[in-house]
Every structure is written in C-alpha cells, then in structure tokens.
Amino acid sequence: MTDFQDRKRGEEAKFAMDEETAFKVAARRNRLLGEWAAGLMGLTEEETDAYKKAVVQADFEEAGDEDVIRKVLGDLTAAECDVSEADIRAKLEECSIEARRQFMSDS
C-alpha cells in the first residue's frame, strides 16, 4: 500500500511541476510577444517594460491565447501598425518556441 501512495505522491508532484513549468513558459512567451509589439509601436524602454507586463496580465482574462491575441491586435491597430491577426498568431508561435528554449537553457 505504501508503494501505491508513494507513486501517487510522485505523480502529483510531477503534475504540479509540469503545470508550473507551463505557466512560466507562457509568461515568458507573452513577455516576448509584448516586447515585439512594443517595438512595432515605437515605445520607450519604460513603456516597453510596462507593456510586457500588461500582455502577461492579459493572459489571465480567460483560458487560451485569445485574450493575449485580442489585446495585442487591439493595441497594434490603435497604434496604426499594419499587422494582421495571422501575423500575431505566427509571432506568438515563434515566441513560444523561444520561451521554451530560454527556459530549458536557464534550468
């Protein structure tokens, strides 16, 4: 019985660690996307830092990536940047790959 309980605790710990890793990678991905969008909008360094945080915060509105895409698309459209939703989705995927790479090299 103890082996089963040990296995269960191990699986729960692994699940928690996987969830934490996914959260950290998503936050890093969103910061990278925010940095890219800030560059397109010509924001200052201070504005860029604040914008990256705002993009990360936008991800808490709903499950999935739609909240982040909606925020960035709205902000880029308001800044009169010629960027489509497809461009943002492609950049989000690039940022996801880069965030995973960075996370693995930091670990």
Side-chain angles (χ1 to χ4, degrees), residues 25 29 32 91-101:
V25 169
R29 176 202 66 181
L32 291 168
K91 189 63 179 180
L92 189 66
E93 184 58 34
E94 285 178 36
C95 290
S96 183
I97 293 166
E98 177 61 18
R100 276 190 230 111
R101 188 196 65 73

Side-chain angles (χ1 to χ4, degrees), residues 22-77:
F23 174 80
K24 288 178 180 180
V25 169
R28 188 173 297 205
R29 176 202 66 181
N30 294 338
R31 279 194 300 275
L32 291 168
L33 183 69
E35 187 171 11
W36 169 77
L40 293 177
M41 292 185 283
L43 301 181
T44 66
E45 188 176 330
E46 295 81 22
E47 292 170 331
T48 297
D49 287 341
Y51 188 71
K52 290 189 297 188
K53 290 175 186 170
V55 173
V56 170
Q57 287 292 335
D59 198 21
F60 298 124
E61 292 177 15
E62 62 187 50
D65 298 332
E66 296 307 311
D67 45 2
V68 172
I69 293 167
R70 190 170 42 252
K71 174 177 183 33
V72 172
L73 181 60
D75 294 342
L76 289 172
T77 300

Side-chain angles (χ1 to χ4, degrees), residues 8-35:
K8 182 179 175 187
R9 276 193 289 272
E11 289 295 321
E12 288 171 350
K14 182 186 180 314
F15 178 79
M17 187 172 198
D18 290 348
E19 288 295 307
E20 181 180 349
T21 298
F23 174 80
K24 288 178 180 180
V25 169
R28 188 173 297 205
R29 176 202 66 181
N30 294 338
R31 279 194 300 275
L32 291 168
L33 183 69
E35 187 171 11

